[in-house]
Amino acid sequence: MESLPLYVTSIVLWLTKELFQISVPSAKERTFIAVKPDGVQRRLVGQVIHRFERRGFKLVGLKLLQVSKNLLSQHYCQLTKKPFYPDLVEYMTSGPVVAMVWEGPNIVQTCRMMVGHTNPAEAHAGTIRADFSLHVSRNVVHASDSLEGAQREIMLWFDGHDLLKWDCIDQSVTSEL
Ligand SMILES: Nc1ncnc2c1ncn2[C@@H]1O[C@H](COP(=O)(O)OP(=O)(O)OP(=O)(O)O)[C@@H](O)[C@H]1O
Ligand SMILES: Nc1ccn([C@@H]2O[C@H](COP(=O)(O)OP(=O)(O)O)[C@@H](O)[C@H]2O)c(=O)n1
Ligand SMILES: [Mg+2]
């Protein structure tokens, strides 16, 4: 059987989505991920990046930096009253951090699942925190916990022009959906 012309397929796809109100996750959703100082010290940066790459997500921003207390207090503004906050500041400013922005469908929620519970003792096997850490105060990575949080953190850590728009040629079909 001959295949339908592309424009017919596109119209049918569009009509199907409109009629059945199918919500397709945006392939452009972004999240902020950081390898914390303990992860960098333990040379886990490559393994963390590998997990998101092999899942199929796209890296759009990356830098290694020494975090200032000012940046950190804005990043963790909801935690400043917590008893562990002074230790958290000391930990997060103790050495370089690798800051990244990743892109893909449902990425915020998926990356949280891949990172695992805040406390590695409660994290499921197979998550980054369960596989690489033992204690909540040295839990290797940060991942944004909501869409709003991701947008706020990306703007805080990156200049817009440091984020690259590029096409994964192997994903051109899914990005059209
Ligand atoms: N009880 C604790 N003792 C020591 N450190 C803690 C404790 N609770 C949280 N932290 C540290 O503070 C960080 C921020 O806590 P938060 O509640 O935001 O967890 P999270 O969202 O899983 O982590 P992150 O925001 O770094 O991704 C934790 O990742 C952890 O490093
Ligand atoms: N009881 C806790 C809770 C959080 N933290 C640290 O604070 C970070 C941020 O806390 P959070 O509540 O945003 O948790 P996550 O989003 O990191 O999972 C954690 O990742 C830990 O590094 C801690 O040291 N002790
Ligand atoms: Mg958090």
Side-chain angles (χ1 to χ4, degrees):
M1 197 179 87
E2 264 181 52
S3 59
L4 291 168
L6 189 60
Y7 74 91
V8 177
T9 318
S10 306
I11 291 170
V12 170
L13 203 64
W14 177 79
L15 272 175
T16 313
K17 280 192 230 163
E18 289 297 311
L19 287 174
F20 297 100
Q21 300 278 301
I22 298 170
S23 79
V24 179
S26 166
K28 301 283 177 218
E29 188 176 310
R30 287 178 172 181
T31 196
F32 174 71
I33 301 284
V35 184
K36 296 178 174 183
D38 53 328
V40 176
Q41 289 290 342
R42 293 171 57 204
R43 272 84 82 196
L44 294 174
V45 175
Q47 301 209 47
V48 171
I49 289 177
H50 184 222
R51 297 221 169 191
F52 299 118
E53 281 192 328
R54 74 180 184 188
R55 182 80 188 223
F57 290 133
K58 179 164 75 176
L59 184 61
V60 295
L62 172 74
K63 64 181 172 187
L64 175 78
L65 73 163
Q66 174 65 47
V67 182
S68 67
K69 287 188 177 164
N70 178 34
L71 171 60
L72 199 71
S73 62
Q74 293 180 67
H75 175 77
Y76 280 140
C77 56
Q78 280 118 338
L79 301 178
T80 53
K81 300 275 180 317
K82 299 278 185 185
F84 56 82
Y85 184 71
D87 288 341
L88 180 60
V89 174
E90 202 181 318
Y91 158 47
M92 289 296 294
T93 55
S94 67
V97 164
V98 172
M100 297 179 273
V101 178
W102 288 83
E103 189 177 282
N106 270 328
I107 194 165
V108 172
Q109 194 189 354
T110 307
C111 285
R112 279 300 283 198
M113 279 190 318
M114 292 171 71
V115 163
H117 197 283
T118 304
N119 184 352
E122 293 179 51
H124 293 296
T127 61
I128 295 172
R129 284 170 170 169
D131 290 354
F132 296 119
S133 60
L134 290 168
H135 196 267
V136 66
S137 63
R138 296 290 180 274
N139 58 2
V140 178
V141 278
H142 163 80
S144 310
D145 62 10
S146 64
L147 261 179
E148 302 68 42
Q151 279 158 10
R152 186 183 73 82
E153 290 168 8
I154 290 168
M155 286 201 301
L156 184 62
W157 288 74
F158 282 89
D159 278 336
H161 49 256
D162 288 335
L163 302 176
L164 220 62
K165 279 192 182 145
W166 61 285
D167 293 321
C168 289
I169 51 172
D170 58 323
Q171 291 183 350
S172 54
V173 176
T174 46
S175 65
E176 272 175 26
L177 285 175

